[in-house]
Amino acid sequence: MLTRRKLLSLAAAAGLTACARPEPEPAAPETPAAPQYPPVPDFYHAITDEPHPVPAVPDGSLAPEYWRQEVTNPWPEHPRGTIVIDPNDALLHFVESPERAMRYGVSVGAAGFDWEGTARLQFTREWPVWKVPESMILRRPELEPYSVANGGMDPGPDNPMGARALYLFQDGVDTLYRIHGDASPWELGRAVSSGCIRMLNQDVIDLNDRSVHGAAVIVLPSQKPELLTSVY
């Protein structure tokens, strides 16, 4: 039987429960702060004497390890002009001498992981036309206006080949492997869905100026990230 005293005790307990402080909500995970990078070197400023504008690389947008820089040559056995691409590390080296090489940060598109070996730098193009192969048009029919038969996409800021392109051949056959411009600074060092080896326009212009016709281009073995597919 509930006595008056028990009822009062239960009421007091209920009151304590109702007024108890609720359990605190778990704290939301903190969003990592964006990396703070130093201002870029002057050679990443805007280029104004090209047929099409080359915007400046924004200060703070590019990690210093991907800046264009002269380094100790990791491949001293190769002659000047040799280009060595490491897709996994997203780095390209241009051999200057047995002692020194110019290193560039790159981004690697899906096609950039699909070929490896030693090719020949057959030719380069300034502000190249982009001619979309039939295999790509099958995936993206909207690119039909830029097919080989239709003459491709005119050079300019909207052309995904950028300011320069270097074309690689093996035994006289086009490998369809390209080193080209139009990368954004935020994608350097990463695997991206588009293109082969993408460089900042400032860097691909510099590489083009240094390049040696007929030189070897060595693409090191790499592992393509899962689920990475070509967009173009």
Side-chain angles (χ1 to χ4, degrees), residues 63 65-67 69 74-75 84-93 103-109 112-113 177 187-192 197-198 219-225:
E65 58 264 34
Y66 297 117
W67 293 355
Q69 54 194 288
W75 295 278
V84 183
I85 300 168
D86 186 340
N88 284 340
D89 285 344
L91 293 173
L92 181 153
H93 288 79
R103 190 182 77 189
Y104 306 83
V106 301
S107 65
V108 185
F113 290 99
Y177 202 97
E187 72 185 42
L188 293 198
R190 301 180 180 181
V192 294
I197 299 298
R198 290 169 60 164
V219 181
L220 301 179
S222 62
Q223 183 172 2
K224 184 176 181 179

Side-chain angles (χ1 to χ4, degrees), residues 142-153:
E142 71 273 17
L143 296 177
E144 172 66 30
Y146 310 119
S147 67
V148 175
N150 288 326
M153 179 186 287

Side-chain angles (χ1 to χ4, degrees), residues 119-139:
R120 180 180 189 270
L121 178 56
Q122 190 79 359
F123 56 86
T124 69
R125 290 288 183 267
E126 298 185 5
W127 294 99
V129 171
W130 181 40
K131 296 181 178 180
V132 184
E134 290 299 323
S135 59
M136 192 174 300
I137 292 171
L138 289 175
R139 298 195 306 270

Side-chain angles (χ1 to χ4, degrees), residues 35-218:
Q36 299 297 310
Y37 299 135
V40 297
D42 288 349
F43 51 73
Y44 286 131
H45 290 178
I47 300 176
T48 58
D49 58 354
E50 285 282 322
H52 304 281
V54 176
V57 174
D59 281 336
S61 65
L62 184 58
E65 58 264 34
Y66 297 117
W67 293 355
R68 182 199 322 164
Q69 54 194 288
E70 193 176 56
V71 297
T72 300
N73 182 9
W75 295 278
E77 68 277 15
H78 296 302
R80 183 186 181 281
T82 303
I83 294 172
V84 183
I85 300 168
D86 186 340
N88 284 340
D89 285 344
L91 293 173
L92 181 153
H93 288 79
F94 176 86
V95 174
E96 293 277 11
S97 71
E99 295 78 28
R100 307 299 292 172
M102 189 62 71
R103 190 182 77 189
Y104 306 83
V106 301
S107 65
V108 185
F113 290 99
D114 288 340
W115 189 88
E116 64 184 54
T118 300
R120 180 180 189 270
L121 178 56
Q122 190 79 359
F123 56 86
T124 69
R125 290 288 183 267
E126 298 185 5
W127 294 99
V129 171
W130 181 40
K131 296 181 178 180
V132 184
E134 290 299 323
S135 59
M136 192 174 300
I137 292 171
L138 289 175
R139 298 195 306 270
R140 296 188 58 188
E142 71 273 17
L143 296 177
E144 172 66 30
Y146 310 119
S147 67
V148 175
N150 288 326
M153 179 186 287
D154 290 338
D158 296 328
N159 186 313
M161 298 294 282
R164 303 287 188 274
L166 287 68
Y167 296 77
L168 279 58
F169 280 59
Q170 190 177 52
D171 299 325
V173 178
D174 189 354
T175 65
L176 301 180
Y177 202 97
R178 308 284 187 258
I179 303 168
H180 62 90
D182 204 41
S184 76
W186 294 275
E187 72 185 42
L188 293 198
R190 301 180 180 181
V192 294
S193 59
S194 304
C196 286
I197 299 298
R198 290 169 60 164
M199 305 177 70
L200 298 173
N201 277 325
Q202 286 88 341
D203 282 347
V204 79
I205 290 172
D206 182 82
L207 177 64
N208 180 80
D209 291 345
R210 296 175 190 272
S211 65
V212 177
H213 175 75
V217 181
I218 301 168

